[in-house]
C-alpha cells in the first residue's frame, strides 16, 4: 500500500474530491420556462471559453542566474534575457525579480535502510532550513518520507512546530522490523524486506499536493538516488513534477558503507525487489542504476539542481545555497506564439546576453493536462 495521508494508490482522484451532495427531489417550477435563446445569445459561452483559454496560455518560467564560480547574479533586467519555445523566439510579456512571492516547499526524505546512519544529520539540517526559509503567513511546506511506502508526515503548513514534529517522526522504528515482511499496522508494510519508492514519492507529491498550489514551488529530496520497487517510472515521476510546475532540488546523501562491496545501486533497480537481498549477485552490475545520474536528470529537467553532500560541502551549506537561489529568482512569463490545447511537451530555452553567465530554469512544459 502506498499512502499519502488518507490517499491510497488507485484511489487518488476519487478521494481527492469532496463527496457530492444528494440533490433534493425536483419541484414544479413556479414560473413558465424561458423561451429558446436566439442565435446571438447562444454564441455567448464560446466567447467566455475563449477568454479562459487566453488566460491559461500564459507560461511562467522561474530562472536563477549564476556566474562561472556559482555566485548568484540578482540584478539583471528584462532586456538581458531571451526565451525560446521549441526553438522559436518568444516575447517576454512579464518580468520580475522574485523574492517576495509565496513559496511552497515539499521535503521528501528517504528513510530506507541505506540512509540509517545519515538520518539524524538530515533531520537537524532540515529543521534549520525550514526555520530560516519559511516566512510567517506567506510560505508553506509539507513533509513526506519514503522507504517501502510513501507517507505524508505533515501536510502543507506554515507552522515550524508542526514541521519539527513531522521531522521527529523520521526516527527509525521501521528499520528494526524492515526485514520481517508481511502485515502489521506500522510503517513500511508494503514490501517485505525493504524498498525505496523514490519515483512514487515524487509522483504523489507532485500530483496530489503541488499541482493544486500556485506560484513558486519546489521539492527537495534527500536520498542516495536508488529507486527500488516503485510503481511509477522515472519518466512518469519527472513528467508529474513538470506538469505541476515544480522544480526538484536533489540532495545526494549517500552512506557508501550501507551497500557493502556492491556500492551504491546494489538493489538491482526498479522492479527488482522480489525476494532479493541487498547488493546480492542476482543482478548484473551493469544493470545497477547510478543514483547520482538519476537525481541529476530529475533536477535538470524540472529546473532544480543536484547537490552532493561531501566533507567540503556539508548538508547545512547545501540548504543555504538552495535558500539563496529560491530567494533570488527571476520570473519570466510569455504567451506562446503557437498555443495548443493538446497535452504536448514544449521545450523552453532561456539565455542571457552575458556569455559568462549560466541560467538555471526548467527545460519545458506540457500544454495540456
Amino acid at each position: 500500500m502506498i499512502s499519502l495521508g488518507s490517499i491510497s494508490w488507485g484511489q487518488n482522484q476519487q478521494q481527492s474530491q469532496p463527496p457530492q451532495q444528494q440533490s433534493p427531489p425536483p419541484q414544479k417550477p413556479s414560473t413558465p420556462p424561458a423561451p429558446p435563446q436566439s442565435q446571438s445569445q447562444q454564441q455567448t459561452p464560446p466567447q467566455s471559453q475563449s477568454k479562459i483559454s487566453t488566460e491559461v496560455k500564459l507560461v511562467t518560467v522561474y530562472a536563477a542566474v549564476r556566474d562561472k564560480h556559482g555566485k548568484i547574479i540578482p540584478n539583471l533586467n528584462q532586456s538581458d534575457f531571451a526565451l525560446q519555445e521549441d526553438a522559436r523566439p518568444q516575447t517576454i510579456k512579464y518580468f520580475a525579480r522574485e523574492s517576495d512571492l509565496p513559496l511552497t516547499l515539499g521535503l521528501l526524505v528517504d528513510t530506507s535502510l541505506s540512509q540509517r546512519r545519515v538520518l539524524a544529520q538530515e533531520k537537524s539540517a532540515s529543521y534549520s532550513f525550514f526555520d530560516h526559509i519559511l516566512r510567517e503567513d506567506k510560505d508553506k511546506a509539507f513533509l513526506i518520507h519514503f522507504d517501502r511506502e510513501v507517507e505524508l508526515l505533515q501536510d502543507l503548513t506554515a507552522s515550524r512546530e508542526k514541521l519539527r514534529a513531522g521531522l521527529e517522526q523520521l526516527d527509525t522504528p521501521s528499520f528494526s522490523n524492515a526485514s520481517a515482511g508481511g502485515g502489521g499496522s506500522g510503517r513500511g508494510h508494503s514490501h517485505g524486506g525493504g524498498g525505496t519508492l523514490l519515483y512514487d514519492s515524487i509522483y504523489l507529491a507532485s500530483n496530489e499536493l503541488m499541482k493544486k498550489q500556485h506560484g513558486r514551488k519546489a521539492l527537495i529530496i534527500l536520498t542516495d538516488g536508488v529507486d527500488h520497487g516503485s510503481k511509477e517510472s522515472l519518466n512518469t515521476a519527472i513528467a508529474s513534477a513538470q506538469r505541476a510546475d515544480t522544480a526538484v532540488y536533489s540532495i545526494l546523501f549517500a552512506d557508501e558503507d550501507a551497500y557493502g562491496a556492491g556500492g551504491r545501486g546494489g538493489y538491482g533497480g526498479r522492479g527488482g525487489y522480489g525476494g532479493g537481498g541487498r547488493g546480492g549477485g542476482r543482478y548484473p552490475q551493469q544493470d545497477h542504476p547510478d543514483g547520482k545520474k538519476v537525481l541529476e536528470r530529475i533536477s535538470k529537467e524540472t529546473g532544480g539542481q543536484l547537490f552532493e553532500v561531501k566533507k567540503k560541502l556539508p548538508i547545512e551549506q547545501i540548504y543555504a545555497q538552495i535558500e539563496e537561489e529560491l530567494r533570488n529568482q527571476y520570473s519570466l512569463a510569455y504567451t506562446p506564439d503557437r498555443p495548443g490545447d493538446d497535452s504536448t511537451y514544449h521545450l523552453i530555452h532561456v539565455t542571457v546576453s552575458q556569455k559568462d553567465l549560466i541560467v538555471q530554469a526548467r527545460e519545458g512544459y506540457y500544454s495540456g493536462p
Side-chain angles (χ1 to χ4, degrees), residues 185 282 304:
S185 59
R282 181 175 175 181

Side-chain angles (χ1 to χ4, degrees), residues 62 174 204 327:
Y62 297 103
S174 59
L204 289 169
R327 293 293 177 227

